Amino acid sequence: MTTTGRTDDGLRLIPFRGLRYVPERVGSLAAVTSPPYDVVVRPDGLLHLESADPYNIVRLILPQAATPTARHQQAALTLDDWLSEGVLAPDPEPALYVYEQHDGGLLQRGLIGALALSEPGEGVVLPHEDVMPHVVEDRADLMRTTAAHFEPLLLTYHGDTGAGGGPSGAGAVIERTVRREPLLSTTTEDGYSHRLWAVTDPADLAEIQSDLAHHQAVIADGHHRWATYLRLRSEQSAPGPWDFGLVLLVDTARYPLRVRAIHRLLHRLPVGDALAAVAETGAFRIRTLSVPLPDALDVLAEASSAGNAFLLAGDGHFHLLDRPDPELLARTIRTDRPQAWRDLDATVLHSTLLDHVWRIPDAPEDIMYIHDTAAAVEQAERRGGTAVLMHPVREGVVRDLARQGVTMPRKSTSFGPKPATGLVLRSLTVN
């Protein structure tokens, strides 16, 4: 596997006229926001957001209709209606946006802008996960039909430190900007406070762009949307707004992200059948834990420090799978990848358990990906399926593999906090 090389050109983040909710036209800014589309647990979370406010952004990112085409057309009509009604309005001039999230224990600040698109081989924006073609197809049709980017991707980079030890370049502009009065401030029901500022001063914009031109970024969250951006760019016959994608850039040297796991819900596999298949093959040691979820996760964390481990749930108990059979791993995991990739829990889950032991295809009718641990357990118990709870991978492993040009199995990580959807949108038809 060749190492992904850097190009002479780094990140190019340009201002745009953000579409934002007009506060006087909605109940509250918090009530119209949503988590990213792939974090919303359906149907419960979707219904909750729809009932929070008639203008909740979920009606644009997850429109409801009988067919995909009808859903995306409905989103386009809804967007047009909200613009004509003055519910959404473009800012008066192009800007980069400083975005801050704070929950008392974590402070994150970054820049929202339109980022010039690049292929992975160019070494400017590095993916670390594979994507699912059907999701890219769905997001592409939505963006194509609405001509809009509703949700910024979360990208990370390592910024530079100034001579006095403080931030320089983009980081210095961010720290100066947050001393001003924000454009908006709200607190969402998850306890996070959100603030947004516009950066329009030409000197500040030039300082940001000069700094970022020397950096590369890793996609922390939004691989499917980045792949969608690239697909839609390839459809264009001339340069234009489709050459850029809406992103949030965070300097993780200054504001480290949290890394969490994404869990799997196996719709058609009861826990009893899952355990029986594991026992029959001798793939893992099995231990049943009669403890609450937080304690079970502590046991999983301890087991994961020694090797691959998973928690199965769905029958009212937690079942720890650990100490995998080395010979089985050797037979079922491809050998043309680095050892760090072969050792990933997601690799072992998909290559050994799903493909070999349980023989479950990675298709939406068989597997749902859920970020929230308690929701994964609750959904498994309600549906009679199996939740596979994962332990998060370290950020350093993710970054090292990305720099080698090696992508992890899809939905291997959940970086956060993720930007709230609905605070600033990008229309591809507003100049």
Side-chain angles (χ1 to χ4, degrees):
M1 179 66 64
T2 59
T3 301
T4 299
R6 289 291 305 277
T7 66
D8 293 333
D9 298 320
L11 302 167
R12 182 184 171 211
L13 192 70
I14 68 169
F16 68 102
R17 290 179 65 195
L19 293 184
R20 295 191 296 111
Y21 280 98
V22 177
E24 296 78 15
R25 297 302 310 274
V26 298
S28 72
L29 288 174
V32 295
T33 64
S34 165
Y37 78 98
D38 58 337
V39 180
V40 176
V41 178
R42 287 161 268 183
D44 300 356
L46 179 63
L47 294 174
H48 173 72
L49 291 165
E50 287 181 331
S51 63
D53 190 283
Y55 299 114
N56 189 281
I57 193 70
V58 78
R59 288 180 168 80
L60 298 181
I61 63 172
L62 291 173
Q64 299 302 294
T67 66
T69 298
R71 288 198 297 269
H72 303 146
Q73 290 173 343
Q74 179 175 306
L77 292 173
T78 299
L79 176 60
D80 289 344
D81 288 345
W82 290 0
L83 287 168
S84 63
E85 295 169 13
V87 175
L88 289 169
D91 281 334
E93 58 182 320
L96 296 179
Y97 297 88
V98 172
Y99 176 48
E100 176 188 277
Q101 294 164 277
H102 187 226
D103 73 346
L106 181 145
L107 175 67
Q108 178 173 288
R109 290 172 178 156
L111 286 166
I112 294 177
L115 185 68
L117 304 181
S118 59
E119 296 289 345
E122 297 176 55
V124 178
V125 176
L126 305 178
H128 73 265
E129 287 184 356
D130 296 329
V131 297
M132 294 176 273
H134 75 277
V135 177
V136 175
E137 174 66 31
D138 178 76
R139 292 295 100 181
D141 195 35
L142 176 65
M143 291 184 198
R144 192 185 297 113
T145 306
T146 60
H149 295 159
F150 298 134
E151 305 180 83
L153 282 66
L154 177 59
L155 273 62
T156 73
Y157 74 103
H158 273 203
D160 300 321
T161 301
S168 65
V173 175
I174 289 173
E175 299 310 314
R176 292 197 301 268
T177 301
V178 297
R179 298 174 192 154
R180 306 197 316 251
E181 190 71 19
L183 288 175
L184 64 84
S185 178
T186 189
T187 300
T188 45
E189 65 178 8
D190 59 5
Y192 276 95
S193 64
H194 307 262
R195 297 197 294 172
L196 192 76
W197 296 261
V199 179
T200 57
D201 180 82
D204 286 341
L205 294 173
E207 185 174 354
I208 290 170
Q209 290 167 347
S210 176
D211 179 24
L212 293 179
H214 302 290
H215 293 286
Q216 67 180 165
V218 174
I219 300 174
D221 183 71
H223 285 81
H224 289 91
R225 282 166 283 163
W226 184 260
T228 300
Y229 290 165
L230 294 175
R231 174 170 177 169
L232 293 174
R233 181 185 66 167
S234 71
E235 297 175 359
Q236 310 308 309
S237 59
W242 295 97
D243 296 334
F244 297 83
L246 184 63
V247 306
L248 166 63
L249 272 174
V250 174
D251 174 6
T252 51
R254 189 163 181 81
Y255 298 107
L257 298 179
R258 292 171 176 161
V259 186
R260 292 176 173 153
I262 302 177
H263 312 294
R264 277 66 168 160
L265 172 60
L266 312 180
H267 298 296
R268 305 178 182 181
L269 182 67
V271 174
D273 292 349
L275 293 172
V278 172
E280 181 180 351
T281 59
F284 285 80
R285 180 177 69 167
I286 302 172
R287 285 185 288 161
T288 298
L289 311 175
S290 297
V291 297
L293 176 58
D295 295 340
L297 292 175
D298 288 341
V299 175
L300 174 63
E302 182 178 355
S304 294
S305 67
N308 302 115
F310 309 93
L311 275 180
L312 304 191
D315 62 352
H317 300 282
F318 298 103
H319 308 274
L320 179 71
L321 308 186
D322 67 351
R323 298 186 183 179
D325 175 12
E327 293 185 3
L328 180 60
L329 297 184
R331 292 199 310 271
T332 56
I333 297 176
R334 57 191 296 180
T335 59
D336 61 344
R337 296 291 179 92
Q339 191 62 45
W341 183 91
R342 292 169 55 81
D343 291 339
L344 291 169
D345 286 340
T347 298
V348 173
L349 172 61
H350 283 263
S351 298
T352 303
L353 283 171
L354 290 173
D355 291 350
H356 180 79
V357 176
W358 294 328
R359 302 189 183 281
I360 294 177
D362 192 357
E365 57 269 23
D366 290 286
I367 302 176
M368 177 185 290
Y369 294 84
I370 301 180
H371 292 69
D372 184 82
T373 308
V377 174
E378 188 274 333
Q379 291 268 348
E381 292 179 347
R382 181 196 301 180
R383 301 182 182 202
T386 296
V388 182
L389 307 183
M390 314 274 286
H391 186 67
V393 64
R394 292 182 294 107
E395 181 182 359
V397 173
V398 175
R399 191 172 293 276
D400 288 346
L401 287 173
R403 284 174 173 163
Q404 295 178 62
V406 178
T407 53
M408 300 163 64
R410 60 196 62 155
K411 300 294 184 181
S412 293
T413 60
S414 176
F415 284 87
K418 304 178 190 303
T421 299
L423 296 182
V424 60
L425 290 61
R426 177 179 179 240
S427 169
L428 282 80
T429 60
V430 174
N431 298 319

